[in-house]
Amino acid sequence: MTPQQASVETRNVCELAPVVPVLVVENAGIAAPLAAALISGGLPALEVTLRTKAAIDVIREMAAVEGGVVGAGTLLTSQDVEQAKEAGARFGVSPGATDRLIDACVANELPLLPGSATATEAMYLLERGYSMQKFFPAEANGGAPALKAIGAPIPQVTFCPTGGVSLKNIKDYLALSNTACVGGSWVAPKELVAAKDWDGITALAKEAAALPR
Ligand code: 3PG
């Protein structure tokens, strides 16, 4: 899969809903009900970060839940890409991008949503064929005004801003012409996950899914 084809795929994923939940899950035993809660609330695209020992098993469990499109986040190495693909991830997300990581995603046919934070990084990834990128860390990099400013000279790139995005600022991002969706962890707060409050998580997902784009 070429980066151009990958960008078509990740763009489709980003257009499924206004928010891609960013999930840090410690226990694969709760993966299926957590995914089901988010999907039933209207958020089918899920990013499982590879930041826990259970993450690969979490992807495997979530990938089996009907109606979801499960991806692997925090891809840093070729081994991450191989393991994520093998577990059933349908897309990958990385905080930044290296040639080695890009090559691994191409070789493993895992559509990559690569992270960029500056105009130079966005240009480099566009040269490599990625017209769909993650703007990360969004708020720390200047937030919606910075993303808008990057879009003026580089309108060819569409972004999924992630990092510090919440209900407080999401509308500023979704109003931008170069933003397809946002990534965020607030739809699956630790406390609700720990309490297995799936109805509470579905309610948060519904609220996010109803936001205008
Ligand atoms: C992350 O770094 O975990 C993601 O960018 C999500 O960030 P958030 O917790 O600020 O939504």
Side-chain angles (χ1 to χ4, degrees), residues 160-212:
C160 168
T162 304
V165 184
S166 69
L167 284 178
K168 278 188 201 150
N169 53 27
I170 185 172
K171 286 184 184 157
D172 298 336
Y173 288 102
L174 294 179
L176 299 179
S177 58
N178 63 344
T179 295
C181 69
V182 308
S185 60
W186 83 89
V187 285
K190 269 187 193 155
E191 313 76 59
L192 295 195
V193 173
K196 299 187 181 173
D197 183 354
W198 309 132
D199 288 345
I201 288 174
T202 295
L204 288 175
K206 277 189 181 161
E207 181 182 31
L211 290 164

Side-chain angles (χ1 to χ4, degrees), residues 22 24 49 51 134 136 162-165 183-186:
V22 177
V24 183
T49 61
R51 295 192 208 163
K134 159 176 158 170
F136 177 82
T162 304
V165 184
S185 60
W186 83 89

Side-chain angles (χ1 to χ4, degrees), residues 111 118 124 171 194:
T118 65
Y124 170 72
K171 286 184 184 157

Side-chain angles (χ1 to χ4, degrees), residues 60-76:
R60 208 181 304 282
E61 294 288 325
M62 288 191 170
V65 178
E66 203 176 330
V69 180
V70 179
T74 329
L75 294 179
L76 301 178

Side-chain angles (χ1 to χ4, degrees), residues 34-131:
L34 172 58
L38 290 162
I39 295 164
S40 73
L43 301 181
L46 308 175
E47 175 189 338
V48 178
T49 61
L50 298 190
R51 295 192 208 163
T52 65
K53 284 189 184 152
I56 291 295
D57 288 333
V58 171
I59 291 172
R60 208 181 304 282
E61 294 288 325
M62 288 191 170
V65 178
E66 203 176 330
V69 180
V70 179
T74 329
L75 294 179
L76 301 178
T77 67
S78 305
Q79 194 192 14
D80 292 341
V81 174
E82 286 157 19
Q83 289 184 342
K85 177 76 182 186
E86 190 275 325
R90 288 171 54 188
F91 65 97
V93 186
S94 56
T98 65
D99 288 329
R100 202 175 287 183
L101 186 75
I102 289 171
D103 292 345
C105 286
V106 170
N108 286 278
E109 305 222 319
L110 186 68
L112 177 66
L113 179 67
S116 65
T118 65
T120 296
E121 291 169 7
M123 286 170 63
Y124 170 72
L125 287 171
L126 186 61
E127 266 188 15
R128 288 287 319 242
Y130 291 99
S131 57

